[in-house]
């Protein structure tokens, strides 16, 4: 076996181990990681004002990324397929027309118009539509009604020597499979934080949890972009702005009638 052929002090083995160490060190050095431990509120508040915690936080992440990159990009949320025996995951594509309408209305920076009743009502309505759209998509994905695993299955059916259907090299398909924002949600009492790296060189990875009175985000990206610290700040900004939006609307005289 390979193990039997290894000898202590073998120069080739030593060289390979040293190369692996160098590559690992370079990989770590090329990346940055920031943690946003948001203590402003968590799932208790989000449910109190009438939203799904996961969907609400996903929309907050979209707003933060929109302000970071100045546009929306392909965003992935890993979704479990629990109804199926041996079911694993499907992709929830979190960008929707409803979420696009919300983030664009919120703007690339806070607009300072929260005292404008009409603007506030419009933003709340768009937020509720965006959250509901996310709930619908993630529900369908969990029931096996997503599209990505079906495409994967079709691609795997292409045999050796067979021509790959043109669909899989179409620019729109390739763009649709480029996940510049990869997200995954895990909330558990035994986990304070966890994470993973970005899946494309010009992307970010966001692992997150939504606890009762706090949210945690583990943000990764290549160091050259200088994104993680900025995105951490923008996540906090988005969550605070969305809370202020809901609080002001809840406390307004008209809403108490």
């Amino acid at each position: 076996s390979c193990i039997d052929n290894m000898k202590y002090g073998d120069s080739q083995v030593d060289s390979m181990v040293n190369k692996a160490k160098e590559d690992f060190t370079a990989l770590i050095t090329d990346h940055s990681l920031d943690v946003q431990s948001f203590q402003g509120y968590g799932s208790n508040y989000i449910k109190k004002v009438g939203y799904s915690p996961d969907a609400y936080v996903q929309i907050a992440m979209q707003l933060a990324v929109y302000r970071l990159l100045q546009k929306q990009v392909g965003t992935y949320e890993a979704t479990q397929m629990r109804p199926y025996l041996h079911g694993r995951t499907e992709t929830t594509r979190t960008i929707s027309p409803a979420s696009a309408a919300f983030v664009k209305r919120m703007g690339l920076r806070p607009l300072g118009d929260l005292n404008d009743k009409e603007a506030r009502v419009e933003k709340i309505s768009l937020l509720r539509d965006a959250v509901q759209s996310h709930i619908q998509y993630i529900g369908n994905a969990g029931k096996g009604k997503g599209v990505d695993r079906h495409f994967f299955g079709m691609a795997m059916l292409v045999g050796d020597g067979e021509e790959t259907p043109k669909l899989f090299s179409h620019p729109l398909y390739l763009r649709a499979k480029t996940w510049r924002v990869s997200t995954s949600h895990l909330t558990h009492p035994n986990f304070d934080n966890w994470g993973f790296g970005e899946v494309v060189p010009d992307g970010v990875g966001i692992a997150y949890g939504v606890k009762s009175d706090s949210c945690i985000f583990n943000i990764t990206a290549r160091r050259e972009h200088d994104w993680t610290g900025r995105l951490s700040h923008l996540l906090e900004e988005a969550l605070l702005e969305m809370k202020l939006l809901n609080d002001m609307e809840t406390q307004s005289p008209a809403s108490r009638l």
Side-chain angles (χ1 to χ4, degrees):
S1 68
C2 293
I3 299 297
D4 294 333
N5 291 333
M6 284 185 178
K7 297 179 181 179
Y8 180 76
D10 186 310
S11 61
Q12 185 176 3
V13 173
D14 288 346
S15 177
M16 293 171 67
V17 170
N18 288 333
K19 178 66 166 58
K21 290 167 63 177
E22 291 172 0
D23 289 347
F24 179 75
T25 300
L27 181 66
I28 296 300
T29 303
D30 287 344
H31 283 76
S32 63
L33 182 153
D34 270 84
V35 174
Q36 171 56 242
S37 181
F38 179 76
Q39 300 300 310
Y41 59 96
S43 60
N44 285 342
Y45 170 81
I46 297 171
K47 288 185 283 190
K48 180 181 177 181
V49 291
Y51 301 96
S52 155
D54 177 73
Y56 179 97
V57 171
Q58 277 284 337
I59 301 304
M61 289 192 288
Q62 285 193 41
L63 177 56
V65 170
Y66 176 70
R67 288 174 170 173
L68 175 73
L69 303 178
Q70 300 190 4
K71 63 180 179 180
Q72 288 187 293
V73 295
T75 304
Y76 172 112
E77 179 181 4
T79 304
Q80 293 184 341
M81 297 174 65
R82 291 176 176 168
Y84 291 86
L85 180 66
H86 307 307
R88 298 191 68 186
T89 65
E90 176 56 278
T91 298
T92 292
R93 292 172 171 265
T94 66
I95 304 296
S96 67
S99 71
F102 172 71
V103 301
K104 289 176 181 176
R105 181 63 183 86
M106 295 295 284
L108 292 172
R109 55 191 296 180
L111 300 175
D113 59 353
L114 290 177
N115 288 321
D116 182 330
K117 171 70 175 178
E118 186 176 337
R120 199 167 61 240
V121 168
E122 180 186 9
K123 289 178 179 180
I124 286 286
S125 177
L126 291 172
L127 174 58
R128 293 199 180 278
D129 288 347
V131 168
Q132 191 57 43
S133 177
H134 187 85
I135 292 171
Q136 182 177 359
Y137 200 116
I138 200 171
N140 286 337
K143 296 173 185 176
K145 297 180 180 179
V147 299
D148 288 275
R149 296 301 177 266
H150 294 288
F151 280 135
F152 176 72
M154 291 167 61
M156 293 299 293
L157 290 174
V158 180
D160 293 340
E162 294 183 352
E163 182 179 355
T164 302
K166 293 181 179 179
L167 166 67
F168 296 109
S169 59
H170 192 283
L172 183 59
Y173 178 82
L174 296 175
R175 179 185 174 191
K177 297 287 288 184
T178 301
W179 304 112
R180 292 192 61 190
V181 181
S182 179
T183 76
S184 188
H185 179 187
L186 175 61
T187 299
H188 192 279
N190 293 333
F191 280 87
D192 284 330
N193 195 14
W194 63 290
F196 50 86
E198 76 289 343
V199 299
V200 294
D202 60 344
V204 298
I206 308 177
Y208 66 103
V210 188
K211 298 186 177 184
S212 297
D213 298 302
S214 63
C215 301
I216 189 82
F217 302 89
N218 190 90
I219 309 158
T220 58
R222 292 187 65 85
R223 190 178 299 276
E224 64 190 89
H225 301 305
D226 190 30
W227 283 343
T228 57
R230 292 159 58 197
L231 184 53
S232 176
H233 166 75
L234 290 168
L235 279 166
E236 181 181 38
E237 177 185 82
L239 286 165
L240 290 173
E241 188 177 357
M242 287 164 65
K243 182 179 188 298
L244 187 58
L245 185 67
N246 281 284
D247 287 349
M248 291 186 69
E249 184 57 23
T250 300
Q251 296 166 10
S252 67
S255 67
R256 294 197 297 266
L257 294 178

